[in-house]
């Protein structure tokens, strides 16, 4: 170990939750960033790394014959049960972890000390990898109806929006400013996604300050401008993703929802997704079910039902499907909000985009989607993930739910995503790890104040580096599937063992099809090289080689499909993927200097997931 | 729509869509009629769980059709069933009726041990009507003793060898319950027989698939269990595997839940839970793991039985073999397992599979025992996707044929009945068809790599899933999942072709080099 230990405790046991195997025995180390456990009893040296930022709770349990137990719950659903011989040691570890896992100041976060030994230029390039302007360009914006404006450059319209937003061209500055005074926290209606085929737009905002009767002319004009930007449809939807009761209760506080009589040609609709507090307690219940010791099938299913978790997942998915259908089939623009428009709204807008546009199902596209709908639009990652010591009532698994919805889609459409479940888990880990700057703070303004673009690294280039291991071998390419229409009947939703029981390896399939197929794909490259190498060696290219099927152009379905067209296809779609200076491309071509820089970090990054 | 003696045929009149539906009458589980004005609707519910709706104008016509279907789908006599009339359109390469003989199995066994013998004591089905004519028993026990033991076991099902674990020489026996009754009857020959399978000084395990209370109650009816005093070298473990109507009810409830699309999430999960289907799966897998563990880990012999020894017993012994024996995970081996442990062992297929989940008859003897077994295999398959030579489709195909088939394989309740019906002479065997290369290719698992190890499945609830391929098969679009399977096959196939090509090129290069050398020498 190169790191300096803050604490080192010998004779620590690590219990396995499910098997009755003999507990591991070894040494526990605390560094500035990680808890490291080295199993001395195993034949091969086995290390468990837990990032302090991943720790959500540390508990001291009652003394047992084996010693003083310490139970650690992590935000990535890792549960570690240590038993420490000495009470004093146990207490030391406990208090140190409490401090280390709940930093008070943002500067204490890992991202500010994380040093992957990357050059300044590469670091800056990394931040430019995702350029949202390019995504709007892809949608054809700016165009006659929509413009990208820097009206929010001084955060005068809205402090939690990015400096650049997309609004209807017809909305004047006065309309924008007026609307912003009528929307909670100034979060005015802005464009989230434009469906180019029919000009139907997906827009998002926060709830109006309507109370029982208040109106705002500019806000009404704003909605009119959005509706008129889509001349193909005479009406637009306004979707409130809250349960009706919640929205009505908000009216008493001077907030609420749009009155259909005040807005011209809108169709107003509630989609009942519960609030962050309900979601938090639902996850808590789900995790209790996952942690039960040898539950019966009934215990598990009843627990799963009572947690309500899958019901909430279905609600989010249903909402996403509704939006996508409205846009695609009814050709209607949709304006979505919840209360502040940064939790449920982010979930359903990003999900609808993912259903409508295959680009968002590629590596780069998914990164763009997260940057656009979550990071730029002010999803409060810092509060929802509890990065800093703060109000526990602000913590909620909103982003986790979105990631799960994507996973559920992967189950129904196994060939339509360029990436695999591992990519999702990787992102989910880093949302909590604070190792990269992307998810720090609550909004763009705060990230600027934290100077994360100067002081920290962006996650995305690091993930693109690992494309080979994170990709989906079954991906059929960019053009194979356009819009997805998932089945949302209850039986279409599965419990995601790979997420919530991810670290209980005993529960997972013992043989991994994904690994097998990835192995095949990398083997394929070697074999193809071998084949062409051998062919070159052969003096006269005469006659067919005994086993044909690979060379001949019409070699049947297998040969035609098997070469990983996916990647080629996606990269071939030039305007789509040329989003920012693409490190991904360079990596693909194996430019020697850069990967090494990035590669250095990898071991570190991997280590924490043991 | 056209009704023939054995099929319901529906062909679309549209030219572009020449799709035809051929439905075996024996696949029809129940039919409902409904009328709206003069428009009649017939809803046909099939044993493979599919539901078909036919709209028929004209009340009279509709009633006629319905009653014809009803009559044709509930034939009284087995010999009127389709397998007796089916003429295959394919050339029979290998007669499936003689593909899996116990004699062959015994030959394999003889090559590793001489402690066992083939007994023809049941040649005329006189000792045990539900056993095959030949069985494998310990060498030291003669036929006279077997006859005595048969009198001591329910239905004459004396302990026979089910599986021999080559790795450590341990044996798995199966039987029915001993007829101890309330007086605690004993049978010296029975004790001798089971003890003959023990290594000296080692203990064995009796796995009783009934809970202790049920086993105790059975004594009042003349049944019972092995008592410690008389079987001191055996430890008895009671498991609880549900039988008959409980399973059938569970099956019906599950299918109901899967077919009701109006459920919200909570209701679906609570219905899924209330059906108890997955509980049965978990219990069964647990019992099979226990049997396998006793043999492989404890190095002990095992005797498995419940009451009759024709249902839960067979589920446990066959699943334990899937776990222990790599051969059972190949296509041929799995077929042999089904022949040996289900057909020859006397699982009453005709009774159990007479009706499926839509039946209203609620007969006591109908139960999805075999389906439950197949699903357990699927669960293990899901956890070890590379260790099975066959794919999910193979299991689904077996489920379908057990309930309705053009082949005679699953007709009759035991070998005795099959012999009387002259099935091998009068009907075609399922295996004759399945084992043809063009059919087999549909059932092969592209990921298969022979795995000689024991495979221990996880029985945690998180590891078990609803078998969508059977229960949701008709309720969800399968296109995207099929495409994924296609993609998996293509990736692997392409690699194999590449490998072959590289090898061919290497060979050719070597040949050329050799020629060059020859020339140089000359």
């Amino acid at each position: 170990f190169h790191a300096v230990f803050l604490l080192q405790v010998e004779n620590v046991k690590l219990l396995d939750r499910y098997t009755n195997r003999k507990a591991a025995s070894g040494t526990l180390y605390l560094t500035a960033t990680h808890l490291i456990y080295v199993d001395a009893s195993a034949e091969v040296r086995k290390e468990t790394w837990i990032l302090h930022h991943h720790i959500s709770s540390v508990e001291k349990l009652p003394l047992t014959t084996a010693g003083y137990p310490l139970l650690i719950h992590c935000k990535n659903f890792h549960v570690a049960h240590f038993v420490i011989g000495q009470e004093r040691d146990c207490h030391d570890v406990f208090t140190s972890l409490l401090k280390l896992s709940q930093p008070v100041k943002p500067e204490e976060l890992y991202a500010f000390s994380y040093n992957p030994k990357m050059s300044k230029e590469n670091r800056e390039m990394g931040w430019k990898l995702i350029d949202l302007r390019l995504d709007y360009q892809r949608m054809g914006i700016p165009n006659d109806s929509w413009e990208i404006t820097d009206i929010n450059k001084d955060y005068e319209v809205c402090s939690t929006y990015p400096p650049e937003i997309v609004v209807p061209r017809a909305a004047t500055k006065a309309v924008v400013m007026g609307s912003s005074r009528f929307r909670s926290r100034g979060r005015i209606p802005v464009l989230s996604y434009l469906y180019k085929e029919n000009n139907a737009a997906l827009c998002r905002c926060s709830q109006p300050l309507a109370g029982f009767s208040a109106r705002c002319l500019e806000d009404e004009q704003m909605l009119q401008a959005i509706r008129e930007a889509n001349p193909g449809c005479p009406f637009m939807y306004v979707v409130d993703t809250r349960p009706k009761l919640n929205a009505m209760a908000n009216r008493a506080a001077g907030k609420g929802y749009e009155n259909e009589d005040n807005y011209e040609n809108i169709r107003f609709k509630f989609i009942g997704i519960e609030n962050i507090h309900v979601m938090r307690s639902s996850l808590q219940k789900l995790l209790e079910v996952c942690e039960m010791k040898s539950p019966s099938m009934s215990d598990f299913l009843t627990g799963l039902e009572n947690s309500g978790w899958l019901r909430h997942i279905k609600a989010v998915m249903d909402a996403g499907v509704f939006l996508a259908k409205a846009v695609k089939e009814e050709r209607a623009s949709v304006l979505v909000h919840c209360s502040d428009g940064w939790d449920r709204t982010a979930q359903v807008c990003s999900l609808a985009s993912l259903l409508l546009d295959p680009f968002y199902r590629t590596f780069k596209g998914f990164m763009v989607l997260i940057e656009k709908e979550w990071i730029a639009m002010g999803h409060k990652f810092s509060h929802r993930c509890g990065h800093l010591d703060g109000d526990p009532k602000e913590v909620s698994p909103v982003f986790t739910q979105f990631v799960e919805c994507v996973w559920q889609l992967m189950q129904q459409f196994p060939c339509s995503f360029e990436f695999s479940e591992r990519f999702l888990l990787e992102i989910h880990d880093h949302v909590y790890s604070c190792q990269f700057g992307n998810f720090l703070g609550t909004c763009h303004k705060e990230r600027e104040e934290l100077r994360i673009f100067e002081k920290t690294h962006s996650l995305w280039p690091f993930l693109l580096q690992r494309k080979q291991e994170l990709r989906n071998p079954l991906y059929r390419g960019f053009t194979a599937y356009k819009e997805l229409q998932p089945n949302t009947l209850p039986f279409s939703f599965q419990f995601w063992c790979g997420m919530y029981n991810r670290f209980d390896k005993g529960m997972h399939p013992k043989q991994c099809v994904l690994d097998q197929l990835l192995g095949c794909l990398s083997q394929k490259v070697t074999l193809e090289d071998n084949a062409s190498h051998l062919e070159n060696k052969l003096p006269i290219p005469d006659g067919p080689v005994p086993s044909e099927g690979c060379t001949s152009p019409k070699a049947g379905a297998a040969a035609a499909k098997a070469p990983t067209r996916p990647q080629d296809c996606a990269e071939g779609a030039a305007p789509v993927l040329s989003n920012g200076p693409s490190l991904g491309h360079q990596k693909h071509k194996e430019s020697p200097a850069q990967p090494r820089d990035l590669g250095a970090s990898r071991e570190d990054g991997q280590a924490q997931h043991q | 729509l056209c009704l023939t003696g054995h099929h319901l045929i529906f062909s679309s009149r549209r030219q572009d869509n020449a799709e035809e539906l051929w439905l075996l009458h024996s696949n029809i589980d129940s039919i409902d009629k409904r009328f709206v004005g003069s428009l009649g609707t017939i809803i046909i519910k099939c044993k493979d769980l599919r539901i078909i709706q036919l709209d028929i104008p004209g009340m009279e016509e509709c009633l006629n059709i319905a009653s014809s279907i009803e009559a044709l789908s509930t034939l009284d006599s087995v010999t009127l069933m389709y397998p007796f009339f089916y003429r295959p359109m394919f050339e029979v390469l290998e007669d499936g009726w003689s593909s899996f003989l116990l004699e062959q199995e015994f030959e394999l066994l003889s090559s590793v041990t001489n402690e066992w013998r083939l007994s023809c004591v049941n040649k005329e089905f006189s000792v045990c009507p539900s056993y095959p004519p030949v069985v494998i028993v310990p060498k030291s026990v003669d036929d006279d003793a077997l006859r005595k033991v048969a009198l001591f076991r329910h239905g004459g099902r004396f302990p026979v060898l089910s599986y021999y674990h080559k790795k450590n020489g341990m044996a798995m026996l199966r039987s029915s319950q001993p007829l101890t009754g309330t007086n605690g009857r004993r049978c010296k020959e029975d004790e001798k027989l089971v003890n003959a399978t023990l290594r000296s000084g080692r203990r064995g395990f009796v796995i009783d698939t009934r809970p202790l209370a049920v086993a105790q109650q059975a004594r009042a009816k003349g049944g019972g269990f092995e008592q410690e005093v008389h079987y001191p070298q055996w430890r008895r473990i009671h498991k609880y595997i549900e039988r008959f109507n409980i399973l059938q009810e569970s099956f019906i409830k599950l299918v109901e839940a899967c077919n009701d699309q109006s459920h919200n999430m909570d209701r679906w999960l609570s219905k899924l839970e209330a059906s108890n289907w997955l509980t049965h799966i978990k219990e069964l897998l647990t019992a099979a793991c226990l049997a396998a563990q006793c043999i492989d880990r404890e190095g002990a012999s095992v005797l498995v039985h419940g009451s009759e020894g024709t249902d839960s017993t067979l589920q446990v012994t066959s699943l334990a073999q899937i776990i222990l024996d790599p051969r059972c995970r190949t296509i041929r081996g799995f077929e042999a397992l089904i022949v040996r442990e289900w057909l020859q062992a006397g699982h009453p297929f005709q009774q159990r599979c007479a009706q499926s989940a839509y039946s209203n008859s609620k007969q006591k003897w109908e139960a999805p025992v075999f389906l439950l077994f197949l699903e357990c295999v699927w669960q293990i398959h899901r956890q070890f996707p590379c260790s099975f030579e066959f794919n999910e489709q193979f299991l689904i195909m077996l489920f379908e044929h057990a309930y309705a088939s053009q082949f005679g394989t699953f007709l009759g309740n035991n070998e005795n009945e099959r012999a009387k019906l002259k099935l091998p002479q009068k009907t075609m065997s399922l295996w004759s068809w399945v084992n043809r290369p063009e059919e087999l290719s549909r059932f092969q698992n592209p990921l298969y790599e022979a795995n000689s190890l024991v495979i221990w499945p996880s029985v945690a609830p998180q590891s078990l899933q609803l078998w969508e391929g059977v229960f949701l098969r008709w309720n969800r679009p399968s296109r995207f999942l099929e495409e994924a399977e296609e993609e998996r096959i293509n990736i692997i196939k392409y690699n194999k072709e590449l490998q072959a090509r590289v090898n061919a090129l290497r060979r050719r290069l070597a040949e050329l080099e050799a020629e060059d050398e020859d020339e140089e020498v000359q």
Side-chain angles (χ1 to χ4, degrees), chain B residues 53-226:
Chain B
Q53 180 175 333
L54 299 172
D55 289 335
I56 297 164
M59 190 187 290
E60 201 176 331
E61 198 170 9
C62 180
L63 282 171
N64 281 338
I65 292 172
S67 58
S68 304
I69 295 175
E70 230 158 317
L72 288 165
S73 61
T74 49
L75 298 176
D76 291 329
S77 165
V78 184
T79 52
L80 292 176
M81 303 210 21
Y82 187 49
F84 287 91
F85 301 89
Y86 171 67
R87 292 291 161 262
M89 303 290 282
F90 57 85
E91 189 194 348
V92 177
L93 300 171
E94 175 197 351
D95 183 7
W97 287 111
S98 49
S99 291
F100 307 101
L101 299 175
L102 200 64
E103 285 83 352
Q104 297 164 356
E105 202 67 30
F106 183 70
E107 241 168 71
L108 282 175
L109 182 65
S110 310
S111 64
V112 286
T113 168
N114 56 3
E115 294 164 2
W116 303 85
R117 69 182 184 94
L118 270 185
S119 166
C120 299
V121 69
N122 198 38
K123 204 162 63 191
E124 309 294 330
F125 303 105
S126 52
V127 176
C128 171
S130 61
Y131 268 178
V134 275
V135 290
I136 301 174
V137 293
K139 205 170 205 170
S140 58
V141 181
D142 60 26
D143 284 358
D144 282 339
L146 292 179
R147 284 190 194 96
K148 284 186 190 145
V149 177
L151 294 174
F152 182 65
R153 292 277 173 178
H154 190 122
R157 296 175 66 90
F158 53 88
V160 296
L161 180 73
S162 159
Y163 170 67
Y164 182 83
H165 199 45
K166 271 185 251 165
K167 195 166 124 193
N168 58 10
M170 292 303 135
M172 179 159 60
L173 305 171
R174 56 176 158 77
S175 69
S176 59
Q177 62 179 344
L179 303 173
T180 56
T182 39
N183 305 330
R185 257 182 74 205
R186 62 187 285 196
C187 170
K188 284 274 169 55
E189 287 78 8
D190 190 79
E191 292 157 24
K192 197 181 153 218
L193 195 167
V194 297
N195 287 339
T197 66
L198 295 178
R199 293 264 183 282
S200 61
R202 301 297 287 270
R203 283 157 67 93
F205 289 90
V206 176
I207 297 179
D208 193 325
T209 61
R210 306 161 295 178
L212 181 59
V214 175
Q216 277 166 341
Q217 280 162 18
R219 288 193 297 191
K221 290 185 192 154
F225 51 86
E226 293 79 0

Side-chain angles (χ1 to χ4, degrees), chain A residues 18 289-291 295-298 300-302 304-305 308 310-311 314 411-415 473-476 480-481 487 489-491 493-495 497 501 506-513 516-517 519-521 523-524 527-528 530-532 534-535 537-540 542-551 555 557-559 561-563, chain B residues 257-273 276 278-279 282 382-388 447 449 451 455-466 468 472 475-477 479-488 490-509 512-513:
Chain A
Y18 295 93
V289 174
C290 294
E291 277 178 54
S296 73
M297 200 73 212
S298 258
F300 177 74
L301 287 174
T302 311
L304 187 60
E305 180 197 339
L310 285 177
R311 185 180 70 221
K314 176 171 152 52
Q411 304 312 298
Q412 288 195 41
F413 304 96
C415 308
L474 302 178
Y475 183 51
R476 281 201 164 179
Y481 304 90
N487 189 339
L489 288 170
F491 59 59
F493 294 84
Q494 292 169 17
F495 166 73
C497 185
N501 283 109
M507 288 182 184
H508 302 188
K510 307 295 183 302
Q511 293 170 329
C512 179
V513 176
Q516 286 281 332
L517 294 177
C520 271
L521 292 188
Q523 195 190 15
K524 193 191 82 172
L527 282 173
E528 277 171 346
N530 275 345
S532 62
L534 286 169
E535 258 162 15
K537 267 188 163 178
L538 279 176
I540 347 144
D542 60 348
V545 190
S547 120
E548 63 286 313
C550 304
T551 33
K561 274 173 198 159
Chain B
C258 292
N259 284 344
D260 190 339
Q261 314 229 325
S262 66
H263 290 328
N264 61 28
M265 184 59 82
D266 288 2
R267 192 143 171 75
W268 156 248
L269 287 174
S270 98
K271 286 255 182 176
L272 180 64
E273 189 271 322
N276 269 328
L278 286 169
T279 301
K282 180 166 153 57
R382 214 183 64 80
Q383 297 186 29
F384 294 89
C386 308
S387 296
F388 289 81
L447 294 164
E449 273 169 36
N451 170 6
I455 53 175
W456 299 108
S458 157
V459 295
Q462 286 97 322
S463 308
L464 304 177
Q465 275 186 10
L466 178 69
E468 296 180 32
L472 302 178
N475 306 340
R476 54 150 201 204
R479 188 190 128 202
F480 304 106
L481 302 180
E482 280 160 17
E483 282 171 356
E485 182 59 21
E486 221 173 275
E487 206 61 46
R488 273 188 282 270
N490 288 343
I491 290 173
I492 290 160
K493 201 167 136 203
Y494 180 74
N495 262 36
K496 283 190 181 146
E497 284 170 1
L498 263 179
Q499 185 70 59
R501 184 150 156 261
V502 167
N503 293 346
L505 284 167
R506 283 223 175 93
R507 259 199 316 275
R508 200 177 174 102
L509 205 61
L512 285 174
E513 274 166 14

Side-chain angles (χ1 to χ4, degrees), chain B residues 401-420:
Chain B
H401 283 278
Y403 279 85
S405 174
Q406 66 269 44
F407 303 105
T409 300
F410 290 106
L411 292 183
N413 290 308
N414 48 53
E415 291 296 277
N416 189 4
E417 287 187 26
R418 281 178 207 113
K420 281 186 190 145

Side-chain angles (χ1 to χ4, degrees), chain A residues 91-104:
Chain A
H91 188 73
D92 285 349
V93 174
F94 175 75
T95 45
S96 310
L97 282 180
L98 276 191
K99 238 193 289 164
L100 290 164
S101 66
Q102 287 178 322
V104 180

